[in-house]
Amino acid sequence: YKFYQFWLNVDDEGVEDYLKIYTELTKNNIDEIMSEFQNNPSERSAQKALAYEVTKIVHGADKADSVVRVTQLLFGSQNVSEIKSTDIALLADELPFVTDGSGKSVIQCMVEAELTQSNGESRRLIQQGGIKLNNQKLTDDVVLNKDHGELDGYALLQKGKNKFALIQL
């Protein structure tokens, strides 16, 4: 995941050179990728292609596909229900992790995962709509149980846009 993220975050100026040096893509493929990238740089299609291709070469296609799904879950359009069990191990390695979350409140799990410093901060964030459980905004504190285990016995907590924790149920 960190390897993939490194390549995903390369600068716009160097991405074409990196595609030529570090991937096995043909000149035509690189030209197509760069054309698409120049038409819409905010989509970062060149960086996504670079990150995928380099990760595939170093770690294999299965791991590259898994990292893409996890990245899309955390920062994009991937639905929690579409995550595979192999992706959960990747999430557990990369995110703050709470074991035995079943029977605990979301507030307790947030503090335990160090997403927040206190129960009060957690409560305020929930009331302000800044917390999601399995990609669904929370409006009240919830006691977690097996029903929340949409990720094969795990739940995903999100604070804001970029802070996550995995909860084992």
Side-chain angles (χ1 to χ4, degrees), residues 16-160:
E16 183 172 10
D17 290 335
Y18 299 143
L19 282 165
K20 291 175 183 175
I21 296 168
Y22 296 111
T23 71
E24 297 172 342
L25 295 172
T26 66
K27 182 181 179 340
N28 287 340
N29 287 347
I30 292 171
D31 290 344
E32 287 175 22
I33 290 167
M34 291 310 298
S35 175
E36 182 181 330
F37 173 69
Q38 289 162 354
N39 288 336
N40 192 356
S42 66
E43 287 292 315
R44 302 184 57 77
S45 57
Q47 284 90 341
K48 289 176 184 175
L50 173 67
Y52 180 80
E53 291 297 324
V54 175
T55 302
K56 184 174 77 172
I57 289 168
V58 174
H59 296 286
D62 289 342
K63 198 62 110 170
D65 292 340
S66 179
V67 171
V68 169
R69 283 190 301 273
V70 166
T71 300
Q72 289 174 341
L73 171 68
L74 298 177
F75 303 106
S77 59
Q78 189 79 29
N79 190 321
V80 170
S81 63
E82 297 169 354
I83 291 297
K84 298 181 179 186
S85 58
T86 55
D87 303 335
I88 293 169
L90 183 62
L91 282 168
D93 286 342
E94 299 299 326
L95 300 177
F97 186 69
V98 176
T99 57
D100 300 324
S102 188
K104 293 181 182 177
S105 71
V106 167
I107 288 175
Q108 287 174 297
C109 291
M110 289 173 60
V111 173
E112 191 173 327
E114 298 181 355
L115 291 179
T116 58
Q117 299 297 313
S118 68
N119 291 348
E121 179 185 356
S122 299
R123 198 170 288 106
R124 280 189 298 279
L125 283 168
I126 290 171
Q127 290 169 348
Q128 294 168 357
I131 302 298
K132 291 182 181 179
L133 177 64
N134 295 329
N135 288 337
Q136 302 295 317
K137 272 191 182 176
L138 291 179
T139 55
D140 290 312
D141 191 17
V142 174
V143 175
L144 298 172
N145 59 48
K146 298 288 184 194
D147 294 337
H148 296 107
E150 291 185 34
L151 286 172
D152 212 13
Y154 296 85
L156 184 68
L157 270 178
Q158 180 179 355
K159 173 188 167 187

